[in-house]
Amino acid sequence: EGEATFSSSLGVMLSMLGAVVGTGNIWRFPRIIASHADEGGALSFLMAWAFFLWMWSIPIIVIEYGIGRYTKKAVIESIGTLIGPTYRFLGGFPLVVEFCITSYYAVLLGWCGYYFIYTCANPLPTEFATSNSTFYDLQDSNWPVLCHALAVIVAGLAVCFGVSTIEPVNNVIVPLLLLIIVFSFYWALYLPFASAGITHMFHPSWKSFSNARLWLDALSQNAWDTGAGSTAFLAYATYMKRTQGAVKLGSITPIINNIVSLLCGTLVFCTVFSVQQKEGNSIGN
């Protein structure tokens, strides 16, 4: 008693969405769909992806929530509590994975901070050559090192202050992020030729089900964008109260996350098809 905890179930959910909603939904998901969208469409991949949401992501996330809420310890000590101190080394594997993912995202966070300030001060590029030049101007400067350092410092401070800082911040920025995604989704729906993108995305190509790569990518995409198996949910769940349901939150969080992925995939398909068809390119191209 007396330890810092989330003040509400909504705070838990928004904090976890803040941890998992990101490039996996906005960038990787549309790209993976496109790689499995032959001229027949991408619905087959979406069906496999939805299958693994229920068979992989939700069960594992519920387990993580339950373990974290029960043990009130990080992953290594949680495993020691559940199956004995001899097996605590097993917690090192997800810890190494989380370290690698964090290192990757720290760089991206620095880039995002740089480009946010840059785009506020400069007009958006309208040609590929201009945008390419903007990217390499950053890489050829010292800004990536500085931005990376600032990202690490900010993340470190968030960890030091704990849930008392993480929850109120996510209560603001996550709804704002979701609002931006929903606004962009509706904007994309009304673009010229957007219906062609929607039709292609949600049209089945039944022969794709025989492609083993489709099933592997559907599983890995679920693991990537929901964070299932990364033990991030376990760490957050250590700050949950006993009255905050592990099964309810463990089911709702990945479902909302995948709805966000669907919105992002749809808006990207609508935008790309609109631009390409206005330029005279066919669906096959």
Side-chain angles (χ1 to χ4, degrees), residues 212-223:
R213 185 71 193 184
L214 178 142
W215 294 94
L216 178 61
D217 284 347
L219 174 59
S220 61
Q221 178 59 34
N222 261 288

Side-chain angles (χ1 to χ4, degrees), residues 103-233:
S103 301
Y104 165 76
Y105 273 110
V107 175
L108 291 185
L109 182 60
W111 288 3
C112 290
Y114 172 86
Y115 286 121
F116 174 76
I117 296 173
Y118 180 88
T119 52
C120 287
N122 298 276
L124 291 173
T126 56
E127 298 178 353
F128 175 77
T130 307
S131 61
N132 204 39
S133 174
T134 302
F135 176 77
Y136 283 106
D137 285 346
L138 169 63
Q139 301 310 304
D140 295 336
S141 69
N142 293 322
W143 282 108
V145 177
L146 175 61
C147 293
H148 184 207
L150 289 174
V152 171
I153 291 170
V154 170
L157 289 173
V159 172
C160 289
F161 286 107
V163 69
S164 60
T165 298
I166 292 172
E167 182 180 10
V169 170
N170 279 306
N171 284 344
V172 175
I173 63 174
V174 173
L176 182 60
L177 171 63
L178 296 179
L179 183 64
I180 293 171
I181 290 173
V182 170
F183 174 82
S184 302
F185 169 75
Y186 278 105
W187 170 81
L189 289 181
Y190 290 96
L191 291 173
F193 309 111
S195 59
I198 296 173
T199 300
H200 192 60
M201 181 173 171
F202 292 101
H203 191 273
S205 176
W206 302 119
K207 64 180 181 180
S208 299
F209 280 125
S210 61
N211 183 359
R213 185 71 193 184
L214 178 142
W215 294 94
L216 178 61
D217 284 347
L219 174 59
S220 61
Q221 178 59 34
N222 261 288
W224 183 269
D225 67 6
T226 63
S230 68
T231 69
F233 291 94

